[in-house]
Amino acid sequence: MYQVLNLSNGIRVALEFIPYVNSVSVGVWVKSGSRYENEDINGISHFIEHMMFKGTKIELLSRLQRISRD
């Protein structure tokens, strides 16, 4: 079962408690993307996606390696 909260600043938060899981997961969804683009900015969301996650695999791997050593 999950619960959805609407905060006063407009952010919607979805929560789910799973008693047998000992971890936390965070997801962020933003109402943006190609469906909200006009002809002048067509493709900008895809471009920003690539720029934000460029090199993520390497950085993520090094972070996980540091965490596993601790």
Side-chain angles (χ1 to χ4, degrees):
M1 185 73 170
Y2 66 92
Q3 178 182 8
V4 177
L5 306 172
N6 292 302
L7 304 180
S8 61
N9 60 3
I11 294 176
R12 186 179 304 163
V13 179
L15 307 169
E16 181 179 19
F17 176 70
I18 306 172
Y20 54 87
V21 175
N22 295 320
S23 65
V24 174
S25 177
V26 176
V28 178
W29 295 270
V30 179
K31 284 188 176 180
S32 67
S34 58
R35 87 185 297 178
Y36 299 102
E37 295 174 358
N38 59 33
E39 282 187 29
D40 295 331
I41 60 169
N42 190 20
I44 193 70
S45 296
H46 191 130
F47 174 74
I48 292 171
E49 174 189 354
H50 280 272
M51 294 306 292
M52 287 183 66
F53 295 104
K54 182 180 174 103
T56 300
K57 291 178 184 175
I58 295 169
E59 176 61 27
L60 181 59
L61 179 58
S62 65
R63 285 185 185 182
L64 290 173
Q65 288 171 339
R66 282 192 301 252
I67 291 170
S68 66
R69 280 186 250 138
D70 294 342

